[in-house]
Amino acid sequence: MPTISQKGALMPESPIRKLVPYAEAAKKRGTKVYHLNIGQPDIASPESALKAVKNFDLLVLEYSHSAGFESYRNKLASSYQNIGLPVSSADIIVTTGGSEALLFALGSTLDAGDEIIIPEPFYANYNGFAIASGVKVVPVVSTIEQNFALPPIADFEKLITNKTKAILICNPGNPTGYVYSKEEMEQLAALVLKHDLFLIADEVYREFIYDSEVKHYSVLSFPELADHAIMIDSVSKRYSMCGARIGCVVSKNKEVIQTVLKYAQARLSPPTLEQVASEAALDTPASYFTEVNKEYKERRDALVTALEQIPGVKVAQPKGAFYCMAQLPVKDADHFAQWLLESYDYQGETTMVAPAAGFYSSKGFGSNEVRIAYVLKKEDLVKAVKIMEEALKVYLQ
């Protein structure tokens, strides 16, 4: 029998989705499942985006331009300019979600066998994207004790070799919720300039900042990085439009954009109706984000407060995005998460979390940690944590 590829064998399971069969089985048994495992917001998508699709008049659902609609790229560029980023439509390639944007960015900047340094824990799919691209992930460890702040630059320096081509960050962070300070971004900028590296920044949670003293600094806000910076963006979380699958690669480096366009041409074009929705979503008033941020801040505070009341649980304080990392008093969070779905319920309900080991590249790291997405209403978050508290009493007997 033919064998699958080595890349296929190495492709990791998603820590976010791999327990879905157990959740489905629990639901079939009549158990209510609180989904804290996945970043699927319950916030309504902007009405303007939904109306644009509903009212879009067409006879043929055609291909779009490989780089995306010109009208969308122009409007997107204007939206970036409005927040102080010097972006033109020529700096943007529209992609099928932020995932494709990341794949295109990796494919355009790294060859098979090259290395990319990523602070861990990081978005689990970075591992999969790297394997698909033949790229080696070199992790630099951040810790819950330091609230997952940027590791010391000296730790990065130790890892740089002649195969290092890029550093990848997520800001605000998934799964940590950490937001890099201006000083941390300046340190990274100096590092990539010193070693002539690319700095790829996944900024899909840019609008989600919850504390007045915290500010987001885009990788594109540093003029000295014009040839080094690549930004990844997406409509999925910003407008609660995960199913639209529209993202983009943004860079002032013309060679990068020309190369990304070749990848975009090879896959033909991003989806048409979803671009219509995404273009309309750019008309969303600022009040939408004000209300959304207020809601998420209240959810974060309720979640962290509830988690901190559980004996033996350590919680990182997220400053942005809508994820929280928690360290549990268990040896194997994977086993605990599966057990919650397979063997436990509290008053007919249980909780689904994402085991955090899959958000690390280093073996053995995160084995007692989970990522929790606070994308449910506050009352449900408190209930879900109460279930975890009661479950731990039974599990640890």
Side-chain angles (χ1 to χ4, degrees), residues 70 72 75 120 146 149 159 210 232 240 250 253 262 273 321 329 338 346 363 366 381:
E70 183 178 10
Y72 179 40
K75 201 169 178 181
E120 66 178 356
Q146 298 298 318
L159 299 172
Y210 305 122
I232 306 300
S240 193
V250 188
N253 185 313
K262 290 191 285 187
L273 290 178
Q338 183 173 327
Y346 178 70
K363 298 298 181 186
L381 288 171

Side-chain angles (χ1 to χ4, degrees), residues 209-229:
I209 306 288
Y210 305 122
D211 300 309
S212 58
E213 73 277 9
V214 178
K215 182 179 176 182
H216 179 261
Y217 293 92
S218 172
V219 70
L220 295 178
S221 64
F222 297 88
E224 66 271 26
L225 293 182
D227 289 332
H228 299 261

